[in-house]
Amino acid sequence: MSSNWYAESGTALILDEKETIEFCKKYLKEICGRDMVKVPDAYTAVEELGEQALIRSKYKHEQADSSSIEEVDEKHFQISMYEDEMSGGIFYPFECDERCGKDNCFELYEGYYGIFFTDKSTLPQKIFKGTYHSMDEIIDEFKEKLEDYLPKDFNWKAHIGFIQYAIYA
């Protein structure tokens, strides 16, 4: 079996390494009842959560078991990690901040980046068929997934945008 580089792109919310670890801590505490003290280290927590379906913020009080969920559904979502087998990552946020250069984007480097893709496709041919009608609709979707696991003053527009990278698989 041979391996090749493949392109991955779409509309996503990204968290930097520190934000990803804080997200994982809060998720583990609220959903799994596990404090980070009980987890060997933050990176173990990130890897653990990257392998399962997570419970959307909107449904967190139902305490559904996420360990047996294989597919993403209306109550679950997944986190992808920008890791060693990925390269050339670039992110164009809806709203630029200090990370952005003159091209209104920034590059992703080694380290943990939590990546959460939209539920529906944002390919141009799909958007024309009404998958999303506004930027606010995309932001609302991410709030439904993540709001209770992120800081109250979280800047949604600076963390949501178009991402592209190559992945070796």
Side-chain angles (χ1 to χ4, degrees):
M1 182 197 301
S2 65
S3 295
N4 295 300
W5 286 95
Y6 297 94
E8 182 75 54
S9 65
T11 300
L13 180 145
I14 68 165
L15 302 175
D16 65 24
E17 182 174 17
K18 181 181 174 199
E19 292 167 329
T20 300
I21 291 168
E22 289 303 312
F23 163 81
C24 291
K25 285 180 183 179
K26 193 160 188 180
Y27 185 89
L28 283 170
K29 187 168 183 113
E30 290 195 22
I31 300 301
C32 304
R34 293 175 66 189
D35 200 317
M36 287 301 293
V37 174
K38 299 174 187 170
V39 177
D41 58 54
Y43 298 101
T44 302
V46 171
E47 290 172 5
E48 183 179 310
L49 291 181
E51 296 175 1
Q52 61 181 292
L54 306 177
I55 299 169
R56 292 174 189 260
S57 187
K58 179 179 175 180
Y59 297 103
K60 77 176 191 175
H61 298 293
E62 293 182 20
Q63 291 294 317
D65 177 27
S66 61
S67 62
S68 63
I69 304 298
E70 298 284 328
E71 299 286 326
V72 173
D73 60 19
E74 77 275 353
K75 293 184 181 180
H76 299 88
F77 66 98
Q78 288 190 298
I79 183 173
S80 298
M81 298 296 171
Y82 188 82
E83 299 174 305
D84 294 339
E85 67 272 359
M86 298 172 179
S87 181
I90 194 161
F91 184 70
Y92 297 86
F94 287 166
E95 181 178 278
C96 291
D97 62 11
E98 68 279 351
R99 301 170 296 178
C100 295
K102 60 180 166 100
D103 295 330
N104 295 329
C105 64
F106 62 91
E107 292 181 38
L108 304 180
Y109 297 101
E110 283 186 32
Y112 279 94
Y113 283 90
I115 304 169
F116 305 87
F117 284 97
T118 54
D119 292 339
K120 299 181 263 183
S121 174
T122 56
L123 290 171
Q125 62 270 34
K126 299 288 185 178
I127 287 181
F128 294 140
K129 293 180 181 174
T131 59
Y132 292 99
H133 298 94
S134 69
M135 184 186 318
D136 288 335
E137 190 175 335
I138 293 171
I139 292 168
D140 288 344
E141 177 185 305
F142 283 114
K143 284 182 176 181
E144 177 192 277
K145 289 180 187 177
L146 302 164
E147 189 168 40
D148 291 338
Y149 312 126
L150 296 171
K152 296 292 180 209
D153 63 347
F154 188 74
N155 184 343
W156 296 93
K157 288 183 180 180
H159 286 81
I160 301 171
F162 180 77
I163 189 171
Q164 63 186 26
Y165 54 88
I167 185 167
Y168 193 72

